[in-house]
């Protein structure tokens, strides 16, 4: 589904990520974990073709750089932390932006199929009854659900998540990741997520890739990575024991 080979990328001519290689099969979810500044978000931006990179990124054996922008948008969608609101659109209008890659011509109206997909996407995040509300009136958690619905309406094969639950309360975080997990499983989509909360990583992902200093340290099933010696070394902390000790406070 997605093949990444010898990927190097960074900013202002300086590589942050060095010779990264991994594959992801259709319908799988992978979490990129590691300390701040290790290169997780840089990897996502390279996969989304947002920044320049060296090496190869292929989707179904097609080179990423050979795809036109609209074709790429049908393959990959990026969801990050809450975006700035530039226009006070309604929920419906905002989610409808996800159908842009499928529209021919700037002023073409939405088809009945487009409207059906948009409505279903809004329904999937529990906001259909509020579809005519202006997004400027929404809470941070509601706004992230709108942006998630926009990703669903885009119908990509691969969803890139760049800390999408940052600054949200725990309930909103769990809701957002639950929506994503259910939708991706039902539609056999592939997800690559950057998440800092390792408890959420366990809930969301099947595999984890531990990154440090722009290099892959470990790539395995989530439980194996989280219980590994490598994660202790990278974080400088016995995270598993810390979590166990913290849980005792709830007894």
């Amino acid at each position: 589904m997605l093949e990444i080979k010898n990927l190097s990328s960074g900013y202002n001519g300086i590589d942050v990520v060095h010779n990264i290689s991994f594959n992801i099969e259709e319908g799988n979810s992978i979490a990129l974990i590691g300390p701040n500044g290790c290169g997780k978000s840089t990897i996502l931006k390279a996969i989304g073709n947002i920044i320049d990179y060296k090496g190869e990124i292929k989707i179904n054996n097609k080179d990423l750089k050979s795809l036109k922008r609209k074709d790429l948008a049908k393959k990959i969608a990026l969801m990050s932390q809450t975006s700035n609101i530039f226009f006070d659109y309604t929920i419906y209008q905002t989610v409808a932006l996800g159908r842009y890659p499928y529209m021919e011509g700037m002023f073409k109206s939405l088809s009945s199929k487009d409207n059906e997909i948009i409505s279903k996407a809004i329904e999937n995040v529990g906001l259909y009854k509020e579809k005519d509300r202006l997004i400027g009136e929404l809470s941070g958690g509601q706004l992230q659900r709108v942006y998630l619905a926009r990703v669903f309406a885009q119908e990509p094969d691969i969803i890139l998540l760049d800390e999408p639950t940052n600054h949200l309360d725990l309930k909103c975080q769990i809701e957002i990741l639950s929506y994503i997990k259910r939708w991706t499983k039902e539609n056999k989509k592939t997800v690559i997520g950057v998440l800092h909360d390792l408890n959420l990583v366990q809930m969301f992902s099947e595999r984890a890739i531990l990154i440090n200093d722009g290099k892959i340290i470990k790539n395995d099933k989530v439980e194996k990575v989280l219980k590994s010696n490598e994660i202790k070394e990278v974080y400088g902390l016995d995270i598993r024991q810390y979590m166990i000790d913290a849980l005792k406070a709830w007894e």
Side-chain angles (χ1 to χ4, degrees):
M1 175 60 182
L2 178 66
E3 301 172 78
I4 297 169
K5 186 175 181 180
N6 299 326
L7 173 68
S8 295
S9 187
Y11 311 93
N12 301 318
I14 300 173
D15 286 340
V16 175
V17 174
H18 312 280
N19 293 315
I20 293 283
S21 297
F22 62 91
N23 297 335
I24 307 177
E25 297 298 324
E26 181 184 86
N28 286 353
S29 59
I30 288 184
L32 303 181
I33 62 174
N36 288 336
C38 71
K40 304 183 297 294
S41 294
T42 301
I43 294 171
L44 289 192
K45 290 174 183 176
I47 296 172
N49 205 21
I50 296 169
I51 58 175
D52 290 334
Y53 63 87
K54 299 182 286 289
E56 293 183 351
I57 302 176
K58 292 183 178 180
I59 302 172
N60 293 330
N61 294 317
K62 290 185 178 181
D63 191 280
L64 189 73
K65 291 180 178 178
S66 71
L67 297 174
K68 294 179 180 179
R69 180 56 60 180
K70 274 195 171 185
D71 291 331
L72 180 62
K74 295 175 184 178
K75 297 288 185 182
I76 297 176
L78 172 66
M79 181 179 174
S80 61
Q81 300 175 39
T82 302
S83 304
N84 292 325
I85 303 172
F86 296 105
F87 300 100
D88 209 6
Y89 290 152
T90 65
I91 290 174
Y92 195 93
Q93 290 170 328
T94 303
V95 176
L97 295 174
R99 297 305 298 166
Y100 172 74
Y102 301 90
M103 298 172 68
E104 298 296 334
M106 185 178 296
F107 301 106
K108 183 177 178 182
S109 59
L110 295 168
S111 68
S112 58
K113 180 183 177 182
D114 289 328
N115 284 307
E116 182 181 338
I117 291 170
I118 293 163
S119 296
K120 182 65 175 177
I122 297 171
E123 186 179 333
N124 280 339
V125 299
L127 289 173
Y128 190 76
K129 291 182 179 179
E130 301 181 82
K131 63 183 176 63
D132 296 320
R133 282 186 67 186
L134 297 175
I135 60 173
E137 301 172 354
L138 305 180
S139 67
Q142 289 173 317
L143 193 56
Q144 277 299 76
R145 282 196 272 163
V146 172
Y147 292 140
L148 179 57
R150 185 174 64 188
V151 167
F152 290 167
Q154 193 172 325
E155 294 188 309
D157 294 323
I158 300 165
I159 297 177
L160 308 176
L161 304 174
D162 193 3
E163 301 179 35
T165 60
N166 257 22
H167 311 304
L168 299 182
D169 63 48
L170 183 59
K171 182 174 182 289
C172 287
Q173 291 180 42
I174 293 170
E175 283 179 350
I176 293 290
L177 292 180
S178 295
Y179 291 134
I180 294 168
K181 189 172 184 178
R182 185 182 71 241
W183 187 81
T184 53
K185 285 298 178 186
E186 289 175 352
N187 297 279
K188 295 184 179 179
K189 303 297 183 179
T190 301
V191 182
I192 308 172
V194 170
L195 298 168
H196 278 300
D197 189 324
L198 298 183
N199 285 316
L200 294 178
V201 167
Q202 292 187 79
M203 169 188 139
F204 159 75
S205 303
E206 296 149 350
R207 299 183 67 83
I209 298 179
L210 178 62
I211 310 287
N212 196 33
D213 294 330
K215 298 177 181 178
I216 291 180
I217 306 300
K218 194 172 183 65
N219 177 2
D220 211 329
K221 292 181 178 179
V222 169
E223 58 269 22
K224 289 187 177 181
V225 174
L226 295 184
K227 293 178 181 178
S228 68
N229 289 324
E230 288 90 343
I231 199 167
K232 295 179 187 178
E233 294 169 3
V234 167
Y235 281 91
L237 173 70
D238 187 339
I239 295 174
R240 181 171 180 269
Q241 190 57 53
Y242 172 80
M243 295 293 187
I244 291 171
D245 292 342
L247 184 62
K248 291 177 181 177
W250 294 92
E251 294 178 351

Coordinates of all heavy atoms in Angstrom, one line a residue, residues 166-235:
N166 N -4.2 17.2 20.3 CA -3.5 18.1 21.2 C -4.4 19.2 21.7 O -5.2 19.7 20.9 CB -2.3 18.7 20.5 CG -1.0 18.1 21.0 OD1 -1.0 17.0 21.5 ND2 0.1 18.8 20.8
H167 N -4.3 19.6 23.0 CA -5.1 20.7 23.6 C -6.6 20.3 23.7 O -7.4 21.2 24.1 CB -5.0 22.0 22.8 CG -3.6 22.3 22.4 ND1 -2.6 22.5 23.4 CD2 -2.9 22.5 21.2 CE1 -1.4 22.7 22.8 NE2 -1.6 22.8 21.5
L168 N -7.0 19.1 23.5 CA -8.4 18.7 23.7 C -8.5 17.9 25.0 O -7.5 17.3 25.5 CB -8.9 17.8 22.6 CG -8.9 18.4 21.2 CD1 -9.5 17.4 20.2 CD2 -9.7 19.7 21.1
D169 N -9.6 18.0 25.7 CA -9.8 17.2 26.9 C -9.8 15.7 26.6 O -10.0 15.3 25.4 CB -11.0 17.7 27.7 CG -12.3 17.4 26.9 OD1 -12.5 16.3 26.4 OD2 -13.2 18.3 26.9
L170 N -9.7 14.9 27.6 CA -9.5 13.4 27.5 C -10.7 12.8 26.7 O -10.6 12.0 25.8 CB -9.4 12.8 28.8 CG -9.1 11.2 28.8 CD1 -7.9 10.9 28.0 CD2 -9.0 10.7 30.2
K171 N -11.9 13.3 27.0 CA -13.1 12.7 26.4 C -13.1 13.0 24.9 O -13.4 12.1 24.1 CB -14.4 13.3 27.0 CG -15.7 12.8 26.4 CD -16.9 13.4 27.2 CE -18.2 12.8 26.7 NZ -18.6 13.4 25.4
C172 N -12.7 14.2 24.5 CA -12.7 14.6 23.1 C -11.6 13.8 22.4 O -11.8 13.4 21.2 CB -12.4 16.1 22.9 SG -13.8 17.1 23.3
Q173 N -10.4 13.6 23.1 CA -9.4 12.8 22.5 C -9.8 11.4 22.1 O -9.6 10.9 21.0 CB -8.2 12.8 23.4 CG -7.5 14.1 23.6 CD -6.3 13.9 24.6 OE1 -5.5 13.0 24.5 NE2 -6.1 14.9 25.5
I174 N -10.5 10.8 23.1 CA -10.9 9.4 22.9 C -12.0 9.4 21.8 O -12.0 8.4 21.0 CB -11.5 8.8 24.2 CG1 -10.3 8.7 25.2 CG2 -12.2 7.5 24.0 CD1 -10.8 8.4 26.6
E175 N -12.9 10.3 21.8 CA -13.9 10.4 20.7 C -13.3 10.5 19.3 O -13.7 9.7 18.4 CB -14.9 11.5 21.0 CG -15.9 11.3 22.1 CD -16.8 12.5 22.3 OE1 -16.5 13.6 21.7 OE2 -17.8 12.4 23.1
I176 N -12.4 11.4 19.2 CA -11.8 11.6 17.9 C -11.1 10.4 17.4 O -11.3 9.9 16.2 CB -10.7 12.8 17.9 CG1 -11.4 14.1 18.2 CG2 -9.9 12.8 16.7 CD1 -12.3 14.7 17.0
L177 N -10.3 9.7 18.2 CA -9.6 8.5 17.8 C -10.5 7.4 17.6 O -10.2 6.5 16.7 CB -8.5 8.2 18.9 CG -7.3 9.2 19.0 CD1 -6.3 8.7 20.1 CD2 -6.6 9.3 17.7
S178 N -11.6 7.3 18.4 CA -12.6 6.2 18.2 C -13.3 6.4 16.8 O -13.5 5.4 16.1 CB -13.6 6.3 19.3 OG -13.1 6.0 20.5
Y179 N -13.6 7.6 16.4 CA -14.2 7.9 15.1 C -13.2 7.4 14.0 O -13.6 6.8 13.0 CB -14.5 9.4 14.9 CG -15.6 9.9 15.7 CD1 -15.4 11.2 16.4 CD2 -16.8 9.3 15.8 CE1 -16.5 11.7 17.2 CE2 -17.8 9.8 16.6 CZ -17.7 11.0 17.3 OH -18.7 11.6 18.0
I180 N -12.0 7.8 14.2 CA -11.0 7.4 13.1 C -10.8 5.9 13.1 O -10.8 5.4 12.0 CB -9.6 8.1 13.5 CG1 -9.7 9.6 13.3 CG2 -8.5 7.6 12.5 CD1 -8.6 10.4 13.9
K181 N -10.7 5.3 14.2 CA -10.4 3.8 14.2 C -11.6 3.1 13.6 O -11.4 2.2 12.8 CB -10.2 3.4 15.7 CG -9.8 1.9 15.8 CD -9.4 1.6 17.2 CE -8.8 0.2 17.3 NZ -8.4 -0.2 18.7
R182 N -12.8 3.5 13.9 CA -14.0 2.8 13.4 C -14.1 3.0 11.8 O -14.3 2.1 11.1 CB -15.3 3.3 14.0 CG -16.5 2.5 13.6 CD -17.8 3.1 14.2 NE -18.2 4.4 13.7 CZ -18.3 5.5 14.4 NH1 -18.0 5.5 15.7 NH2 -18.6 6.6 13.8
W183 N -13.9 4.3 11.4 CA -14.0 4.6 10.0 C -13.0 3.9 9.2 O -13.3 3.4 8.1 CB -14.0 6.1 9.8 CG -14.2 6.6 8.4 CD1 -15.5 6.8 7.8 CD2 -13.3 6.9 7.4 NE1 -15.3 7.2 6.6 CE2 -14.0 7.3 6.3 CE3 -11.9 7.0 7.4 CZ2 -13.4 7.7 5.1 CZ3 -11.3 7.4 6.2 CH2 -12.0 7.8 5.1
T184 N -11.7 3.9 9.7 CA -10.7 3.2 8.9 C -10.9 1.7 8.8 O -10.6 1.2 7.7 CB -9.3 3.6 9.5 OG1 -9.3 3.2 10.9 CG2 -8.9 5.0 9.4
K185 N -11.4 1.1 9.8 CA -11.6 -0.3 9.8 C -12.8 -0.7 8.8 O -12.7 -1.6 8.0 CB -11.9 -0.9 11.2 CG -10.7 -1.0 12.1 CD -9.7 -1.9 11.5 CE -8.4 -2.0 12.4 NZ -7.4 -2.9 11.7
E186 N -13.8 0.1 8.9 CA -15.0 -0.1 8.0 C -14.7 0.1 6.6 O -15.2 -0.6 5.7 CB -16.1 0.8 8.5 CG -16.8 0.4 9.8 CD -17.8 1.4 10.2 OE1 -18.0 2.5 9.5 OE2 -18.5 1.2 11.2
N187 N -13.7 1.0 6.3 CA -13.4 1.3 4.9 C -12.0 0.9 4.4 O -11.6 1.2 3.4 CB -13.5 2.9 4.7 CG -15.0 3.4 5.0 OD1 -15.8 3.3 4.1 ND2 -15.2 3.9 6.2
K188 N -11.4 0.1 5.3 CA -10.0 -0.4 5.0 C -9.1 0.7 4.6 O -8.4 0.6 3.6 CB -10.1 -1.5 3.9 CG -10.9 -2.7 4.3 CD -10.9 -3.8 3.2 CE -11.7 -5.0 3.6 NZ -11.7 -6.1 2.6
K189 N -9.0 1.7 5.4 CA -8.1 2.8 5.2 C -6.8 2.6 6.0 O -6.8 1.9 6.9 CB -8.8 4.1 5.5 CG -10.1 4.4 4.8 CD -9.9 4.6 3.3 CE -11.2 4.9 2.6 NZ -11.0 5.1 1.2
T190 N -5.8 3.3 5.6 CA -4.5 3.3 6.3 C -4.3 4.6 7.0 O -4.5 5.6 6.5 CB -3.4 3.0 5.2 OG1 -3.6 1.8 4.5 CG2 -2.0 3.0 5.9
V191 N -3.7 4.4 8.2 CA -3.5 5.6 9.1 C -2.1 5.6 9.6 O -1.6 4.6 10.1 CB -4.5 5.7 10.3 CG1 -4.3 6.9 11.1 CG2 -5.9 5.6 9.8
I192 N -1.5 6.8 9.5 CA -0.2 7.0 10.2 C -0.4 8.2 11.1 O -0.7 9.3 10.7 CB 0.9 7.3 9.2 CG1 1.0 6.3 8.1 CG2 2.3 7.4 9.9 CD1 1.9 6.7 7.0
G193 N -0.2 8.0 12.4 CA -0.5 9.0 13.4 C 0.7 9.4 14.3 O 1.5 8.5 14.7
V194 N 0.9 10.7 14.6 CA 1.8 11.1 15.5 C 1.0 11.5 16.8 O 0.2 12.4 16.8 CB 2.6 12.4 15.0 CG1 3.4 13.0 16.2 CG2 3.5 12.0 13.9
L195 N 1.3 10.8 17.9 CA 0.6 11.0 19.1 C 1.6 11.0 20.3 O 2.5 10.1 20.3 CB -0.4 9.8 19.4 CG -1.6 9.7 18.4 CD1 -2.3 8.4 18.6 CD2 -2.5 10.9 18.5
H196 N 1.5 11.9 21.2 CA 2.4 12.0 22.3 C 1.9 11.1 23.5 O 2.7 10.5 24.2 CB 2.5 13.4 22.8 CG 3.5 14.2 22.0 ND1 4.8 13.9 21.9 CD2 3.4 15.3 21.3 CE1 5.5 14.7 21.2 NE2 4.6 15.6 20.7
D197 N 0.6 11.0 23.7 CA 0.1 10.2 24.8 C 0.2 8.7 24.4 O -0.6 8.2 23.6 CB -1.4 10.6 25.1 CG -1.9 10.0 26.3 OD1 -1.6 8.8 26.7 OD2 -2.7 10.6 27.0
L198 N 1.0 8.0 25.1 CA 1.3 6.6 24.8 C 0.1 5.7 25.2 O -0.1 4.6 24.6 CB 2.6 6.1 25.5 CG 3.8 6.8 25.0 CD1 5.1 6.2 25.7 CD2 4.0 6.8 23.5
N199 N -0.8 6.1 26.1 CA -2.0 5.4 26.4 C -2.9 5.4 25.2 O -3.5 4.4 24.8 CB -2.7 6.0 27.6 CG -2.0 5.7 28.9 OD1 -1.7 4.5 29.1 ND2 -1.9 6.6 29.8
L200 N -3.0 6.6 24.5 CA -3.8 6.7 23.3 C -3.2 5.9 22.2 O -3.9 5.3 21.3 CB -4.0 8.1 22.9 CG -4.8 9.0 23.9 CD1 -4.8 10.5 23.4 CD2 -6.2 8.5 24.1
V201 N -1.9 5.8 22.1 CA -1.2 5.0 21.1 C -1.7 3.5 21.2 O -1.9 2.9 20.2 CB 0.3 5.1 21.2 CG1 1.0 4.0 20.4 CG2 0.8 6.5 20.8
Q202 N -1.8 3.0 22.4 CA -2.2 1.6 22.6 C -3.6 1.4 22.1 O -3.9 0.4 21.5 CB -2.1 1.3 24.1 CG -0.7 1.2 24.7 CD -0.7 0.6 26.1 OE1 -0.8 -0.6 26.3 NE2 -0.6 1.5 27.0
M203 N -4.5 2.4 22.3 CA -5.9 2.3 21.9 C -6.0 2.4 20.4 O -6.9 1.8 19.8 CB -6.6 3.4 22.6 CG -8.0 3.7 22.1 SD -8.7 5.2 22.9 CE -9.6 5.8 21.5
F204 N -5.2 3.2 19.8 CA -5.4 3.6 18.4 C -4.6 2.7 17.4 O -5.1 2.4 16.3 CB -4.9 5.0 18.2 CG -4.6 5.4 16.8 CD1 -5.6 5.7 15.9 CD2 -3.2 5.6 16.4 CE1 -5.3 6.1 14.6 CE2 -2.9 6.0 15.1 CZ -4.0 6.2 14.2
S205 N -3.4 2.2 17.7 CA -2.6 1.7 16.7 C -2.3 0.2 16.9 O -2.4 -0.4 18.0 CB -1.2 2.3 16.8 OG -1.3 3.7 16.6
E206 N -2.0 -0.5 15.8 CA -1.6 -1.9 15.8 C -0.1 -2.0 15.9 O 0.5 -2.9 16.5 CB -2.1 -2.6 14.5 CG -3.6 -2.6 14.4 CD -4.1 -2.5 13.0 OE1 -3.3 -2.3 12.1 OE2 -5.3 -2.8 12.8
R207 N 0.6 -1.0 15.2 CA 2.1 -1.0 15.2 C 2.6 0.3 15.7 O 1.8 1.3 15.6 CB 2.6 -1.4 13.8 CG 2.2 -2.7 13.3 CD 2.9 -3.0 12.0 NE 4.3 -3.1 12.0 CZ 4.9 -4.3 12.4 NH1 4.2 -5.3 12.7 NH2 6.3 -4.3 12.5
A208 N 3.8 0.4 16.1 CA 4.4 1.6 16.5 C 5.8 1.7 15.9 O 6.5 0.7 15.9 CB 4.4 1.8 18.0
I209 N 6.2 2.9 15.5 CA 7.6 3.1 15.0 C 8.2 4.1 16.0 O 7.7 5.3 16.1 CB 7.6 3.6 13.6 CG1 7.0 2.5 12.6 CG2 9.1 3.9 13.2 CD1 7.0 3.0 11.2
L210 N 9.2 3.7 16.7 CA 9.9 4.5 17.6 C 11.0 5.3 16.9 O 11.9 4.7 16.3 CB 10.5 3.7 18.8 CG 11.4 4.4 19.8 CD1 10.5 5.5 20.6 CD2 12.0 3.4 20.8
I211 N 11.0 6.6 16.9 CA 11.9 7.5 16.2 C 12.8 8.2 17.2 O 12.3 8.7 18.3 CB 11.2 8.5 15.3 CG1 10.1 7.9 14.5 CG2 12.2 9.4 14.5 CD1 10.7 7.1 13.3
N212 N 14.1 8.4 16.9 CA 14.9 9.2 17.7 C 16.0 9.8 16.8 O 16.6 9.1 16.0 CB 15.5 8.5 18.9 CG 16.1 9.4 20.0 OD1 15.6 10.5 20.2 ND2 17.2 9.0 20.6
D213 N 16.3 11.1 17.0 CA 17.3 11.8 16.1 C 17.1 11.5 14.7 O 18.1 11.3 13.9 CB 18.7 11.3 16.6 CG 19.0 11.8 18.0 OD1 18.5 12.9 18.4 OD2 19.8 11.1 18.7
G214 N 15.9 11.4 14.2 CA 15.6 11.2 12.8 C 15.8 9.9 12.3 O 15.8 9.7 11.0
K215 N 15.9 8.9 13.1 CA 16.2 7.5 12.7 C 15.2 6.5 13.4 O 14.7 6.8 14.5 CB 17.6 7.1 13.0 CG 18.6 7.9 12.3 CD 20.0 7.5 12.7 CE 21.1 8.3 12.0 NZ 22.5 8.0 12.4
I216 N 14.9 5.4 12.7 CA 14.0 4.4 13.3 C 14.8 3.6 14.3 O 15.8 3.0 13.9 CB 13.4 3.5 12.2 CG1 12.4 4.3 11.4 CG2 12.7 2.3 12.9 CD1 11.7 3.4 10.3
I217 N 14.3 3.6 15.5 CA 15.0 2.8 16.6 C 14.3 1.4 16.7 O 15.0 0.4 16.9 CB 14.9 3.5 17.9 CG1 15.5 4.9 17.8 CG2 15.6 2.7 19.0 CD1 16.9 5.0 17.3
K218 N 13.0 1.4 16.6 CA 12.3 0.1 16.6 C 10.9 0.2 15.9 O 10.3 1.2 16.0 CB 12.0 -0.3 18.1 CG 11.5 -1.8 18.3 CD 11.5 -2.1 19.8 CE 11.1 -3.6 20.0 NZ 12.1 -4.5 19.4
N219 N 10.6 -0.9 15.2 CA 9.4 -0.9 14.4 C 8.7 -2.3 14.6 O 9.3 -3.3 14.2 CB 9.7 -0.7 12.9 CG 8.4 -0.8 12.0 OD1 7.3 -1.0 12.5 ND2 8.6 -0.7 10.7
D220 N 7.6 -2.3 15.4 CA 7.1 -3.6 15.8 C 5.6 -3.4 16.3 O 5.1 -2.2 16.2 CB 7.9 -4.2 16.9 CG 7.9 -5.8 16.9 OD1 6.8 -6.3 16.4 OD2 8.9 -6.4 17.3
K221 N 5.0 -4.4 16.7 CA 3.7 -4.3 17.3 C 3.7 -3.4 18.5 O 4.8 -3.3 19.2 CB 3.2 -5.7 17.8 CG 2.9 -6.7 16.7 CD 2.4 -8.0 17.2 CE 2.0 -8.9 16.0 NZ 1.6 -10.3 16.5
V222 N 2.6 -2.6 18.7 CA 2.6 -1.6 19.8 C 3.1 -2.1 21.1 O 4.0 -1.5 21.8 CB 1.2 -1.0 19.9 CG1 1.1 -0.1 21.2 CG2 0.9 -0.2 18.7
E223 N 2.5 -3.3 21.6 CA 2.9 -3.8 22.9 C 4.4 -4.1 23.0 O 5.0 -3.9 24.1 CB 2.0 -5.0 23.2 CG 2.1 -6.2 22.3 CD 1.1 -6.1 21.2 OE1 0.6 -5.0 20.9 OE2 0.8 -7.2 20.6
K224 N 5.0 -4.6 21.9 CA 6.4 -4.9 22.0 C 7.3 -3.6 22.0 O 8.3 -3.6 22.8 CB 6.8 -5.8 20.8 CG 6.2 -7.2 20.8 CD 6.8 -8.0 19.7 CE 6.2 -9.5 19.8 NZ 6.8 -10.3 18.7
V225 N 6.9 -2.6 21.3 CA 7.6 -1.4 21.3 C 7.5 -0.7 22.7 O 8.5 -0.3 23.3 CB 7.1 -0.4 20.2 CG1 7.8 1.0 20.4 CG2 7.4 -1.0 18.8
L226 N 6.3 -0.7 23.3 CA 6.1 0.0 24.5 C 6.7 -0.7 25.7 O 7.0 -0.1 26.8 CB 4.6 0.2 24.8 CG 3.9 1.1 23.8 CD1 2.4 1.3 24.2 CD2 4.5 2.5 23.7
K227 N 7.0 -2.0 25.6 CA 7.6 -2.8 26.6 C 9.1 -3.0 26.4 O 9.8 -3.7 27.1 CB 7.0 -4.1 26.8 CG 5.5 -4.1 27.3 CD 4.9 -5.4 27.3 CE 3.4 -5.4 27.8 NZ 2.8 -6.7 27.9
S228 N 9.7 -2.3 25.3 CA 11.0 -2.6 25.0 C 12.0 -1.8 25.8 O 11.7 -0.8 26.4 CB 11.2 -2.2 23.5 OG 11.1 -0.8 23.3
N229 N 13.3 -2.3 25.8 CA 14.4 -1.5 26.4 C 14.7 -0.3 25.6 O 15.1 0.8 26.2 CB 15.6 -2.4 26.5 CG 15.5 -3.5 27.5 OD1 14.9 -3.3 28.6 ND2 16.0 -4.7 27.2
E230 N 14.4 -0.3 24.3 CA 14.7 0.8 23.5 C 13.9 2.1 23.9 O 14.4 3.2 23.8 CB 14.5 0.5 22.0 CG 15.5 -0.4 21.4 CD 15.1 -1.9 21.5 OE1 14.2 -2.2 22.3 OE2 15.7 -2.7 20.8
I231 N 12.7 1.8 24.2 CA 11.8 3.0 24.6 C 12.3 3.6 25.9 O 12.2 4.9 26.1 CB 10.3 2.6 24.6 CG1 9.5 3.9 24.5 CG2 10.0 1.9 25.9 CD1 8.0 3.6 24.2
K232 N 12.8 2.8 26.8 CA 13.4 3.4 28.0 C 14.6 4.2 27.7 O 14.7 5.3 28.3 CB 13.8 2.2 28.9 CG 12.7 1.3 29.5 CD 13.3 0.2 30.3 CE 12.2 -0.8 30.8 NZ 12.8 -1.9 31.6
E233 N 15.4 3.8 26.8 CA 16.6 4.5 26.4 C 16.3 5.8 25.7 O 16.9 6.9 26.0 CB 17.5 3.7 25.6 CG 18.1 2.4 26.3 CD 18.7 1.4 25.4 OE1 18.8 1.7 24.1 OE2 19.2 0.4 25.8
V234 N 15.3 5.8 24.8 CA 15.0 7.0 24.0 C 14.3 8.0 24.9 O 14.7 9.2 24.8 CB 14.0 6.6 22.9 CG1 13.4 7.8 22.2 CG2 14.8 5.8 21.8
Y235 N 13.4 7.6 25.8 CA 12.7 8.6 26.6 C 13.4 8.9 27.9 O 13.1 9.8 28.7 CB 11.3 8.1 27.0 CG 10.3 8.3 25.8 CD1 10.1 7.3 24.9 CD2 9.6 9.5 25.7 CE1 9.2 7.5 23.8 CE2 8.6 9.6 24.7 CZ 8.5 8.6 23.7 OH 7.6 8.8 22.7

